[in-house]
Amino acid sequence: MAGTALVAGASGIVGGATAALLAAEGWTVHGLARRPTGQERVLPVVADLQDAAGVAAALAGIRPEVVFITTWLRQESEAENIRVNAAMVRNLLDGLRPTGSLRHVALVTGLKHYLGPFEAYGKGALPQTPFREEQGRLEVENFYYAQEDEVFAAAARDGFGWSVHRPHTVIGKAVGNAMNMGTTLAAYATLCRETGRPFRFPGSAAQWNGLTDMTDARLLARHLLWAATTPAARDEAFNVVNGDIFRWSWMWGRIAGWFGLEPAPFDGTVRPLEEQMAEDAPVWRRIAGREGLAEPELGRLASPWHTDADLGRPIEVVTDMGKSRRLGFTAYQATDEAFFDLFGRLRADRLIP
């Protein structure tokens, strides 16, 4: 049942995968971004969601039935995260209100719903794992909650349905993305191979030894489309992960092997990538020049701070998907193959050698 969709954040990991899936399924796709990437079969909408008037002008004449909100802007404090990101959702939905065309809005948030915002990440009283949707909100300010509240208020006012999607760490391709573990690890492995440094796991013993899961952007895109076209998924919040679980003690060797590296033994010491890669920008430019890579700026590919936050957590993080399974979403993606697929795409696109 194809229709007309608007993807907010179409230049990002999740938005790009979602726009590609919708286009492949025959939808008319409008991709909103500050700097559209020229994605095939996606109609670009240039707008800054912080500019209410600009958003309204950019959306004039566009009548989407479904909106996918896959974007956010990181700020210096959680109070600013709340102010800015709530306003972005509000500006988008206010800008579309005159059309009266919306029947569903899908909002992508994440497991910080359960873990807390970056300022209090993984601290205090946390719900038990595996995380389940009915565990609800923490007693802490969180911009995810503010984004949800904007969607809920607009839905109650304008009569459309909604879904909230909470992935774990997302694996997918985008350049200039603020949260990009897969490409960060690919850049790190490339740098280790170039310099002869050991390929060391940067995180905590809890992550090395404990169980975890992740979310492929392509699977998340399928989940978004499923919820937007499945009546039973209306007005529901969902966790969404690949469907397998693993330990980093196993995955680290799998990633090392793809790059022809031997993984360094893990001795329990946390060695953040932000520190390990702090002086690597000139090395990356040298590699990029020699190999003819498309992106010479390491900061456009790697987001060590975010990978450190995920791999440094002191608790096991596993996510339950029973709610989606009961309603009929059965897609599965092996996480090691998701990494390998991404690495292959990065190499094909000349982003890594």
Side-chain angles (χ1 to χ4, degrees):
M1 185 183 65
T4 300
L6 173 70
V7 179
S11 62
I13 292 176
V14 177
T18 302
L21 174 65
L22 291 165
E25 293 288 328
W27 287 65
T28 299
V29 185
H30 299 272
L32 187 151
R34 287 175 296 171
R35 292 178 292 274
T37 57
Q39 196 169 358
E40 187 177 356
R41 293 181 293 174
V42 176
L43 303 170
V45 179
V46 180
D48 182 344
L49 289 178
Q50 297 180 86
D51 176 4
V55 169
L59 295 176
I62 298 175
R63 296 180 58 83
E65 302 155 59
V66 181
V67 169
F68 301 91
I69 303 175
T70 70
T71 187
W72 72 288
L73 285 177
R74 186 187 183 203
Q75 305 298 312
E76 291 299 318
S77 68
E78 193 59 19
E80 278 298 289
N81 276 334
I82 290 168
R83 184 185 68 81
V84 170
N85 290 284
M88 288 166 59
V89 173
R90 184 168 61 252
N91 292 341
L92 175 63
L93 298 180
D94 284 351
L96 289 168
R97 187 182 188 192
T99 70
S101 62
L102 280 185
R103 62 171 180 80
H104 190 90
V105 171
L107 171 69
V108 178
T109 61
L111 294 195
K112 286 189 290 298
H113 182 93
Y114 309 106
L115 288 162
F118 288 119
E119 289 181 1
Y121 194 56
K123 300 175 183 177
L126 298 174
Q128 290 185 334
T129 56
F131 294 141
R132 292 182 170 85
E133 296 92 344
E134 63 267 23
Q135 289 169 320
R137 296 180 174 184
L138 301 175
E139 293 295 325
V140 62
E141 294 297 308
N142 189 323
F143 82 87
Y144 283 170
Y145 306 160
Q147 287 182 307
E148 288 182 344
D149 287 343
E150 292 293 341
V151 171
F152 299 160
R157 178 191 69 198
D158 298 336
F160 57 76
W162 55 266
S163 55
V164 175
H165 304 257
R166 300 169 186 158
H168 199 165
T169 304
V170 177
I171 304 170
K173 177 179 173 289
V175 176
N177 192 269
M179 300 192 297
N180 195 339
M181 179 187 284
T183 306
T184 298
L185 293 181
Y188 174 58
T190 300
L191 287 160
C192 287
R193 190 174 60 196
E194 173 78 10
T195 62
R197 296 185 337 227
F199 185 63
R200 295 190 183 278
F201 181 71
S204 67
Q207 292 303 303
W208 180 256
N209 296 312
L211 293 172
T212 194
D213 47 29
M214 293 184 73
T215 307
D216 188 296
R218 299 165 300 180
L219 182 137
L220 175 52
R222 294 202 294 275
H223 194 260
L224 287 161
L225 179 55
W226 165 80
T229 55
T230 301
R234 180 185 171 105
D235 298 349
E236 296 285 351
F238 298 101
N239 298 329
V240 50
V241 287
N242 287 338
D244 63 350
I245 56 175
F246 64 92
R247 302 181 199 277
W248 277 104
S249 57
W250 174 78
M251 186 66 77
W252 199 248
R254 298 285 288 161
I255 292 173
W258 197 93
F259 287 94
L261 298 168
E262 285 293 327
F266 179 65
D267 62 6
T269 304
V270 177
R271 296 181 172 87
L273 289 181
E274 199 160 25
E275 296 176 7
Q276 291 194 55
M277 300 174 71
E279 307 299 325
D280 282 339
V283 181
W284 188 264
R285 281 193 290 271
R286 183 176 73 238
I287 297 170
R290 185 186 70 223
E291 303 291 340
L293 300 185
E295 181 51 70
E297 296 304 319
L298 181 60
R300 294 267 298 154
L301 295 173
S303 50
W305 69 272
H306 176 257
T307 299
D308 287 339
D310 277 5
L311 298 185
R313 289 183 298 218
I315 58 172
E316 179 179 274
V317 177
V318 183
T319 316
D320 178 72
M321 267 198 75
K323 187 177 185 180
S324 293
R325 303 303 190 212
R326 289 191 296 273
L327 293 178
F329 183 81
T330 59
Y332 168 87
Q333 170 65 58
T335 300
D336 57 341
E337 293 177 3
F339 274 121
F340 300 161
D341 289 350
L342 170 64
F343 300 155
R345 290 178 64 199
L346 294 175
R347 182 166 286 171
D349 291 345
R350 305 303 303 157
L351 290 168
I352 62 172

